[in-house]
Amino acid sequence: ISSLLTYRAQQAWGSMVSANRLSVVLRIENAFVSYVGYIGKMIVPRNLAVFYPFPKDGLPLWEVIFSAALLVGITLVVIKAARRRPYLAVGWLWYVVTLVPVIGLVQVGSQAMADRYTYVPLIGLFLMISWLIPESNVEHRTSNAELRTGKTQHLTPNTFIIVTASLIIAVLMVCSWMQVGHWKDSVSLFERAVAVTQENFIMYTDLGVAYDRNEQIDQAIWAYNEAIRIRPSTIEAHNNLAVLYYEMGEYAKAWDEVAQCRKYGYEPAKQLIEDLSSAMLK
């Protein structure tokens, strides 16, 4: 039901990406890789970004095969262990199923992954961990009376678990504090995104906008050109460069960017065209 509602809502808003841009095969491959990628980022939350692009040249075959094999393997293990440890199957299925609406089989937007999509699904993996570790590492202390009556044993958490959990929480607190620092402003956020991802033309474009708003014109031009280098048809970068060059009085360069916009099917603002034409005639 959630998948259907997601499909209908995004279709109504025109946010769905057509199969002409992203093939069904690529979407399935990315789904396998993303399932494993989210687990990796849960265990080691590093190189987090506000936007993860699809690889320019597609996904490596070895990564797709490894991810698919790992997912199938984990599924078989939890099913086999379901009778003795049902929480493993519950947690794993929670993770797999709740990601289905946003895993990219129906592509919404241009991202390959999005950390925000894991807020609910990761509950399943945490459920598996929070039941499995105590069960495997507790000191069983049972009185003679309990042995005779068959009552439930008292479970005392292992000191090692307590110390380890405390250290993990402390480390994650530091990681969270550092990660929040990347969100202090738009420039910091987008600079971080281009630093930890590859060929991220969307983030370079957004970084250009952020630089422009801060009147860092040289940096804005650099960022827009990086976006165009990665994807020549990045219309927003061409359009914004046209505006910048016009404001700088470099009308020939501005007109070249207008021509690039038109080449890729976009017509810049009428006022810009009129002002630029008038300026070039003087």
Side-chain angles (χ1 to χ4, degrees):
I1 293 173
S2 178
S3 298
L4 178 61
L5 292 176
T6 300
Y7 177 83
R8 293 291 299 275
Q10 299 300 340
Q11 187 180 48
W13 281 97
S15 302
M16 288 169 51
V17 177
S18 71
N20 294 329
R21 280 187 52 194
L22 295 174
S23 68
V24 174
V25 172
L26 179 58
R27 297 181 192 200
I28 294 174
E29 291 176 345
N30 183 70
F32 285 132
V33 173
S34 295
Y35 267 112
V36 175
Y38 287 136
I39 296 174
K41 289 185 180 297
M42 180 199 78
I43 298 171
V44 183
R46 62 186 297 272
N47 291 342
L48 305 180
V50 68
F51 182 90
Y52 302 101
F54 271 89
K56 186 177 181 180
D57 299 320
L59 294 161
L61 182 59
W62 71 265
E63 189 174 2
V64 176
I65 294 174
F66 171 79
S67 300
L70 183 61
L71 290 174
V72 172
I74 295 175
T75 302
L76 293 176
V77 169
V78 298
I79 291 175
K80 186 175 180 180
R83 186 173 295 276
R84 287 190 57 205
R85 295 184 173 91
Y87 55 85
L88 293 180
V90 171
W92 181 246
L93 291 176
W94 179 307
Y95 173 69
V96 171
V97 174
T98 55
L99 262 178
V100 168
V102 290
I103 201 60
L105 296 177
V106 175
Q107 186 66 28
V108 178
S110 302
Q111 71 282 342
M113 298 172 57
D115 297 332
R116 62 187 180 276
Y117 289 157
T118 63
Y119 295 157
V120 171
L122 287 182
I123 293 173
L125 300 187
F126 291 135
L127 186 153
M128 296 170 70
I129 295 169
S130 62
W131 283 57
L132 182 61
I133 292 180
E135 181 180 301
S136 304
N137 297 275
V138 293
E139 297 172 355
H140 296 269
R141 297 182 178 179
T142 310
S143 67
N144 291 332
E146 288 174 328
L147 286 174
R148 289 194 300 271
T149 59
K151 291 182 179 179
T152 304
Q153 298 174 349
H154 293 296
L155 303 181
T156 304
N158 190 302
T159 303
F160 174 76
I161 296 180
I162 297 174
V163 173
T164 302
S166 300
L167 288 175
I168 291 174
I169 291 172
V171 170
L172 291 178
M173 287 174 64
V174 174
C175 291
S176 296
W177 177 79
M178 295 175 64
Q179 183 64 30
V180 169
H182 298 307
W183 288 74
K184 65 181 179 180
D185 54 48
S186 296
V187 170
S188 299
L189 180 62
F190 299 138
E191 284 182 338
R192 178 63 177 175
V194 300
V196 301
T197 61
Q198 296 181 345
E199 306 292 273
N200 201 336
F201 70 93
I202 290 180
M203 289 295 94
Y204 274 113
T205 302
D206 289 347
L207 179 58
V209 173
Y211 281 141
D212 190 3
R213 289 175 177 171
N214 285 355
E215 298 183 355
Q216 297 172 273
I217 305 304
D218 289 342
Q219 292 93 322
I221 292 173
W222 166 80
Y224 289 139
N225 280 320
E226 282 296 295
I228 293 168
R229 175 188 62 80
I230 297 167
R231 187 182 179 189
S233 61
T234 306
I235 294 172
E236 185 179 357
H238 284 299
N239 183 74
N240 292 351
L241 275 175
V243 174
L244 276 180
Y245 284 137
Y246 167 74
E247 292 174 346
M248 295 168 63
E250 298 190 33
Y251 303 130
K253 288 184 177 181
W255 196 257
D256 287 342
E257 296 301 330
V258 169
Q260 288 296 314
C261 288
R262 288 172 171 171
K263 174 182 176 181
Y264 295 110
Y266 175 77
E267 182 64 25
K270 182 178 179 180
Q271 189 63 52
L272 172 64
I273 301 300
E274 291 178 353
D275 292 345
L276 183 55
S277 299
S278 176
M280 293 184 73
L281 290 174
K282 291 180 180 179

